[in-house]
């Protein structure tokens, strides 16, 4: 049996393998820094709620540090605060602390951290990553709401493992100003809570979805928001009925590695929703097979670029000694060698390779082309159009798998949302994750989460029961771009059907 | 031909269950099944990549072999994308409004630069443009922060780097 | 085998005694320019040369330099420097120019020059984690004007890319530039003889511009003892344009002329207002050589020389690098594609960095920044508000005002473009005074604005010239002065003295005419009779001198004794009241009297 002591030792040993010993913190699990006297919200009339902030989102003064779980930024005080944090404070948030994560957001189990791995309170299961700390803080009831970042599933996956709700908005909806970037074209700020209602309140009813941030060049413009919202429903905050909602089951999400219990839960959930009047149809997203590979070209490439700024000169830990080029005469290599964990270094190396002149065409540019095909797959199956381009996608029937039944002679069904698992398995044991899993094993967890990230689509994971298991699995709902309001509404309805908390 | 949805509960589970009876593919198949016999990364290439990334060289031959093996397995994993036919497909660089309307929003016009254009005058015999330098510039919230506060080393108002000459040469 | 110039051969043959003058075929052998070397006339000389093996170019140059040093002669600027026989030089230039804007390229922090360090730095300029770039569209105003001045096509859509490399002057670890899709392409710049191109390029040459791109400037670093560097990030992120020419330059002087002209054109459209000397404009050159009889159609391996900071350095560095590459190739070696540097006063470039292949910038489109979309109407507006181009202005000065090309260019260059404004002000004032501004007047005014004003600065270097063309000699006052001079109301000598007086502040503004009046400076010219009387006095006792004129008149000598005439005129000027005499008039009277009277008188005497 896994004792607490053994778990701690394992955690430390793993941390030792990746990070120099002086950066280990034995006690800190899901929180890296806690605010001793949390600042009450300034707008007194708002109902205050507690908020945990993932430690790759900057806060100023309360708490003062933003470490990204990296040795590099161990004592880093950001001179400014992220827009999303300010916005939530204005809505009544009381920030109680910064949560633990995989360093700079790179990982699927929140184990690659300078502060040691995060684990769920119960029995040493992986909290998922990279927003594991935030998911645990919510699951433990310590905070009402937690901020995370979702680049390739980093909010949805930990939510699924921890049995809570994790929401990734449409790309460009919530400001990234102050969010330390991992991969700019994929990073989104995400929200974790016990129930969908809390998230819907903040995003839809309180209007966070509407606000453009002029300081974030990827924040969707005001005019575009207005334009696109005209083709969308639900932003008035009205409840959504399941009756008549068309849910697509993407057959390519049925992989060999999908745990039987999770598959069954998926089927059961779909069946129960049908009973309530939803219509369940199969759809095909052929490029799903290549989405994961494309993601692991694009994300590390952008990461290697974003991490080039860490050299210790203007901020961050610096190597000791007379010269910044002491390590083999290479400028900054010493600081960067000491400042980054192993997983981060692995991804930087991979990214440098795929961007190098010899590999650029066949890896990076190729992956970006595959990315467009991934998005095209989604556009073909959704009833709603992709508002980001003028040309609309039609299906080439010859490309379609024969197993997909046709709706009519024009093609297969078009759906409102996709329904699928969030992850292929339940939360694994931390012991298994840290005890010699290959580097690539963790990548495979992201297989269902990554496609929505590549396409910038809104997605939410709600917990569903699995027969014979105490742990819950995540059920994922994916919508067309900017259909967040309806997505959250349907998610709320689904949660109710599945017996989750509203 | 449209398939009518069965009305009984058991039947709906069955039809859905049937849809998912056969796995479509295996993600584990992306992993390399055995160490590659034809390595694509040489030690020289590894050293070059580490230098490009400003990361330290491997501390031992074992570490070097491990780094190469990791990188090669990662490349094997992602190389699957090369099987996809992407002829005529534009790379998707970012999620952005790419409609004609969006392009119009983004267009920089005479109107967008109204203030800056008013801040110049024509002068002299040849009627040449000249930017006026007397207008006050608002830098509140932009330049008024403690720039050097996070520096580990500084001299007065300067940041400091210590490096032998030649280790990193000026570009432009 | 490359041929050896006769100037070299002459040192080996006939024990260095090959006479340059007066030998059998003197008119053809001596002092042929190296470029014309390939003629058959030297056949006989060449066959003799096979007894002495030709030495490689580098050794020759070294020995030449040693010999020059030994002889104590300074190395003369040799027009032959522009070409090396048997070799073709190819040069491409990349110019970085700081754009004249209020704010930086991707942050709203302000541009500055030599302000207190690290006082104009936004979060993004320091690459603070979580900060993001914000394109400042006002940058397009100088950028587009610069590209239009270089005849480029402005692209409606352009994008930004990250160019990755580690250096302490690059806080993000990458520079944001426009590698794949720049905002301007396919331009061209025309260079004329008057711009100082090499004689070998003839009257004019057009050099293509591949593209113009916007990019960030880097931090300023100051080297300190102990291998430390102090960093000032004020300059980081300031907007630059990089202008990339096609490799269509073949002579070093033309390369320098191109950089000089680009600087002038950018300044004229207010795009870049600090020049090479202030560091506002920098040039990198790519140099390669290949043999003239190379049929492969490919250029040689090129090297890059970075950070040239003066026009002279551009020319000198190209010459040095060309010669170095030729020496390497002649010795049977291979030119490495590398980056080299040049310091003022060097004789050879030095290696800065290894092969191009070692530096991989991994250009990646910046995922945060959207495309730059430029409205064609904005381009139109900027084009129509760029003013008259320097070329057109120069043409005007030459064709309309009658200046020589040399004078026109000097006038435009002086006082950072203010001197020519002053000139226009003077012409305007002359018009107002009712002067007919014909060629005589405009040329006179130009001479005074250039040369007479120039003499003032020999003593005190400050004319106090403002950008709008006014100085310690108000343009109205100079105009008044010149007006009187044109109407022969004052002599040139008086005018020059008055100029000095005005400069020293001794004449009140607008008080030129009064000063002339009060000081009785009007030119009260002698009458013809008075001149004639002086002439008669001057020739007394100068029979011998008059004899020269007689000999000329009789056809016994070939040249008119002009010097003797001036001697006689000088005598007249000294004898008479100089302030009432015009040397031209005196000369006219004297030469007429010589022809009409004195010679006859002389003849009669004899």
């Amino acid at each position: 049996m896994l004792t607490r002591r053994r778990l701690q030792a394992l955690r430390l040993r793993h941390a030792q393998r990746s990070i120099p010993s002086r950066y280990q913190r034995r006690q800190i699990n899901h929180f890296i820094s806690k605010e001793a006297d949390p600042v009450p919200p300034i707008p007194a009339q708002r109902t205050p709620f507690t908020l945990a902030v993932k430690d790759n989102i900057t806060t100023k003064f309360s708490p003062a540090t933003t470490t990204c779980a990296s040795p590099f930024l161990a004592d880093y005080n950001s001179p400014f605060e992220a827009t999303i944090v300010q916005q939530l404070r204005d809505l009544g948030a009381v920030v109680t602390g910064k949560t633990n994560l995989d360093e700079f957001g790179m990982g699927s189990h929140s184990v690659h951290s300078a502060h040691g791995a995060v684990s769920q309170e119960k029995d040493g299961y992986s909290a998922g990553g990279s927003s594991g700390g935030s998911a645990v803080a919510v699951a433990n009831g310590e905070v009402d709401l937690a901020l995370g970042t979702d680049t390739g599933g980093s909010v949805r996956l930990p939510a699924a493992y921890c049995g809570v709700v994790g929401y990734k908005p449409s790309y460009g909806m919530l400001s990234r100003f102050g969010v330390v970037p991992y991969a700019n074209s994929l990073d989104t700020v995400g929200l974790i809570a016990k129930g969908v209602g809390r998230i819907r309140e903040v995003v839809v009813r309180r209007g966070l979805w509407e606000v453009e941030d002029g300081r974030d060049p990827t924040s969707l413009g005001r005019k575009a928001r207005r334009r696109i919202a005209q083709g969308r429903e639900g932003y008035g905050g009205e409840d959504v009925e399941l009756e008549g909602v068309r849910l697509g089951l993407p057959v390519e999400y049925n992989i060999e590695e999908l745990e039987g219990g999770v598959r069954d839960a998926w089927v059961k959930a779909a069946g129960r929703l049908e009973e309530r009047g939803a219509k369940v149809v199969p759809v095909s997203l052929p490029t799903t097979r290549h989405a994961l590979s494309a993601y692991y070209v694009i994300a590390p490439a952008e990461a290697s670029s974003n991490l080039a700024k860490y050299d210790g000169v203007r901020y961050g830990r610096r190597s000791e000694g007379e010269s910044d080029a002491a390590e083999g005469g290479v400028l900054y290599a010493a600081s960067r060698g000491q400042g980054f964990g192993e997983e981060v270094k692995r991804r930087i190396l991979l990214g440098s390779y795929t961007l190098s002149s010899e590999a650029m065409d066949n890896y990076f540019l190729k992956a970006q082309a595959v990315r467009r095909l991934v998005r095209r797959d989604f556009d073909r199956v959704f009833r709603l159009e992709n508002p980001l381009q003028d040309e609309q996608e039609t299906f080439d029937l010859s490309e379609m798998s024969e197993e997909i039944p046709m709706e009519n002679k024009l093609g297969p069904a078009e759906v409102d949302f996709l329904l699928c698992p969030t992850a292929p398995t339940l939360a694994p044991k931390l012991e298994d994750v840290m005890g010699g899993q290959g580097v690539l094993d963790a990548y495979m967890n992201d297989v269902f989460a990554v496609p929505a990230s590549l396409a910038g689509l809104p997605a939410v994971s709600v917990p569903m029961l699995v027969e014979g298991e105490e742990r819950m699995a995540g059920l994922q709902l994916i919508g067309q771009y900017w259909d967040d309001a309806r997505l959250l509404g349907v998610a709320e309805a689904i949660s109710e059907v599945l017996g989750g908390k509203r | 031909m449209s398939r009518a949805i069965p009305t009984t509960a058991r039947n709906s589970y069955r039809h859905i269950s049937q849809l998912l009876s056969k796995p479509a593919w295996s993600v584990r198949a992306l992993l390399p099944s055995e160490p590659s016999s034809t390595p694509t990364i040489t030690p020289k290439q590894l050293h070059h990549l580490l230098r490009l990334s400003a990361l330290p060289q491997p501390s031992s031959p074992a570490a070097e072999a491990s780094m190469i093996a990791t990188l090669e397995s990662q490349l094997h994993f992602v190389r699957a994308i090369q099987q996809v036919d992407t002829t005529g497909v534009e790379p998707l660089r970012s999620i952005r409004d790419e409609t004609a309307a969006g392009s119009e929003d983004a267009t920089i016009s005479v109107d967008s630069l109204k203030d800056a254009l008013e801040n110049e005058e024509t002068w002299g015999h040849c009627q040449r443009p000249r930017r006026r330098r007397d207008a006050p510039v608002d830098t509140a919230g932009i330049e008024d922060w403690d720039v050097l506060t996070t520096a580990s080393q500084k001299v007065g108002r300067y940041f400091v780097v210590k490096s032998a000459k030649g280790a990193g040469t000026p570009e432009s | 085998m490359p041929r050896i110039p006769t100037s070299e051969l002459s040192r080996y043959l006939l024990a260095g005694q090959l006479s340059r003058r007066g030998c059998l075929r003197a008119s053809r052998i001596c002092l042929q320019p190296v470029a014309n070397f390939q003629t058959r006339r030297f056949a006989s000389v060449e066959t003799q040369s096979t007894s002495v093996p030709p030495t490689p170019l580098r050794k020759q140059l070294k020995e030449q330099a040693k010999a020059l040093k030994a002889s104590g002669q300074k190395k003369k600027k040799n027009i032959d420097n522009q070409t090396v026989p048997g070799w073709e030089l190819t040069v491409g230039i990349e110019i970085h120019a700081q754009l004249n804007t209020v704010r930086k390229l991707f942050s709203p922090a302000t541009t500055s020059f030599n302000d207190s360090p690290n006082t104009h730095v936004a979060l993004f300029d320091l690459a603070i984690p979580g900060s993001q770039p914000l394109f400042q569209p006002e940058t397009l105003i100088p950028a587009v004007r610069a590209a239009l001045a270089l005849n480029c096509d402005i692209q409606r859509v352009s994008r930004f890319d990250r160019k990755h490399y580690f250096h302490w002057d690059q806080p993000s670890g990458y520079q944001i530039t426009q590698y794949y899709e720049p905002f301007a392409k396919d331009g061209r710049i025309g260079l004329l003889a008057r711009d100082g191109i090499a004689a070998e390029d003839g009257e004019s040459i057009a050099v293509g511009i591949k593209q113009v791109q916007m990019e960030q400037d880097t931090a300023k670093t100051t080297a300190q003892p102990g291998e430390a560097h102090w960093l000032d990030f004020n300059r980081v992120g300031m907007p630059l344009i990089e202008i990339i020419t096609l490799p269509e330059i073949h002579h070093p002087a033309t390369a320098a002329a191109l950089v000089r002209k680009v600087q002038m054109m950018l300044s004229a459209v207010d795009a870049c207002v600090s020049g090479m000397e202030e560091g506002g404009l920098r040039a990198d050159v790519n140099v390669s050589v290949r043999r003239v009889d190379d049929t492969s159609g490919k250029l040689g391996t090129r090297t890059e020389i970075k950070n040239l900071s003066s026009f002279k350095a551009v020319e000198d560095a190209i010459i040095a690098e060309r010669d170095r590459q030729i020496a390497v190739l002649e010795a049977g070696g291979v030119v490495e594609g590398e980056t080299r540097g040049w310091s003022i006063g060097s004789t050879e470039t030095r290696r800065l960095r290894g092969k191009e292949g070692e530096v991989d910038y991994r250009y990646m489109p910046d995922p945060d920044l959207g495309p730059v979309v430029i409205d064609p109407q904005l381009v139109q507006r900027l084009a129509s508000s760029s003013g008259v181009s320097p070329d057109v202005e120069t043409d005007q000065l030459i064709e309309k005002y009658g200046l020589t090309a040399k004078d026109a260019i000097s006038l435009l260059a002086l006082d950072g473009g203010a001197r020519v404004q002053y000139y226009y002000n003077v012409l305007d004032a002359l018009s107002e005074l009712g002067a007919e501004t014909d060629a005589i007047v405009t040329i006179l005014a130009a001479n005074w604005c250039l040369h007479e004003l120039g003499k003032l600065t020999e003593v005190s270097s400050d004319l106090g010239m403002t950008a709008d063309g006014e100085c310690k000699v108000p343009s109205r006052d100079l105009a008044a002065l010149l007006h009187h001079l044109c109407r022969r109301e004052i002599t040139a000598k008086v005018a020059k003295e008055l100029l000095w007086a005005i400069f020293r502040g001794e004449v009140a503004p607008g008080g030129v005419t009064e000063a002339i009046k009060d000081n009785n400076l009007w030119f009260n010219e002698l009458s013809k009779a008075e001149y004639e009387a002086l002439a008669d006095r001057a020739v007394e006792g100068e029979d011998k001198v008059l004899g020269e004129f007689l000999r000329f008149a009789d056809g016994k000598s070939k040249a008119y004794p002009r010097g003797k005439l001036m001697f006689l005129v000088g005598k007249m000027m000294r004898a008479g009241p100089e302030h009432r005499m015009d040397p031209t008039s005196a000369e006219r009277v004297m030469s007429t009297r010589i022809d009409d009277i004195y010679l006859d008188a002389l003849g009669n005497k004899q």
Side-chain angles (χ1 to χ4, degrees), chain C residues 497-574:
Chain C
E497 282 169 8
L498 274 169
L499 182 67
W500 274 102
I502 298 171
F503 180 62
R504 286 191 299 259
E506 289 160 12
V507 177
V512 168
T513 309
E514 216 178 298
I516 296 172
K517 221 187 328 179
D518 293 345
N519 291 288
N520 203 14
L521 297 171
W522 295 115
F523 184 43
N524 184 5
E525 194 171 15
L526 293 179
S527 68
K528 188 152 174 263
E530 287 169 305
Y531 273 118
E532 290 171 347
L534 281 171
D536 293 343
R537 281 244 303 279
V539 298
E540 280 173 15
E542 300 289 354
D543 282 358
K544 185 147 178 271
V545 173
L546 287 174
E548 304 266 335
F549 290 93
L550 194 57
R551 295 236 323 278
F552 174 74
D554 290 343
K556 289 185 194 160
S557 77
K558 286 210 198 113
Y560 184 81
R562 185 148 179 82
K564 302 297 185 203
L565 177 65
M566 296 323 294
F567 165 70
L568 291 171
V569 169
K571 266 187 88 173
M572 277 175 75
M573 299 294 293
R574 283 190 298 275

Side-chain angles (χ1 to χ4, degrees), chain A residues 370-447:
Chain A
V370 170
R371 184 175 183 178
R372 192 174 289 277
L373 291 178
V374 168
R375 188 168 80 165
R376 188 187 292 183
D377 277 359
F378 283 114
D379 290 338
R380 283 171 175 173
V381 304
F382 280 129
R383 249 214 288 238
L384 284 177
E385 290 184 347
N386 177 353
L388 296 180
Q389 54 184 51
D390 288 318
E391 274 174 39
Q392 292 310 317
E393 298 294 340
T394 50
F395 219 122
D396 186 340
L397 294 179
S398 62
E399 286 177 16
M400 200 177 63
S401 152
E402 286 184 352
E403 289 158 6
I404 308 292
M406 304 272 279
E407 173 89 340
N408 52 43
K409 67 174 195 284
L410 289 175
E414 285 185 324
V415 299
D416 296 301
F417 304 100
L418 297 170
L419 189 76
C420 57
T422 308
T425 67
L426 297 170
K429 291 244 167 159
L430 206 55
E431 169 177 55
D432 294 333
V433 168
M434 302 202 312
Q437 234 193 13
V439 162
L440 299 177
D441 286 290
Y443 291 5
M444 296 190 291
N445 290 331
D446 300 332
V447 63

Side-chain angles (χ1 to χ4, degrees), chain A residues 167-170 452 456-460 477-484 487:
Chain A
Y167 160 64
K168 178 195 96 66
S170 296
L457 299 178
V460 61
L477 205 66
I478 305 171
Q480 178 53 289
Y481 189 79
W482 218 259
D483 203 16
D484 300 57
L487 177 83

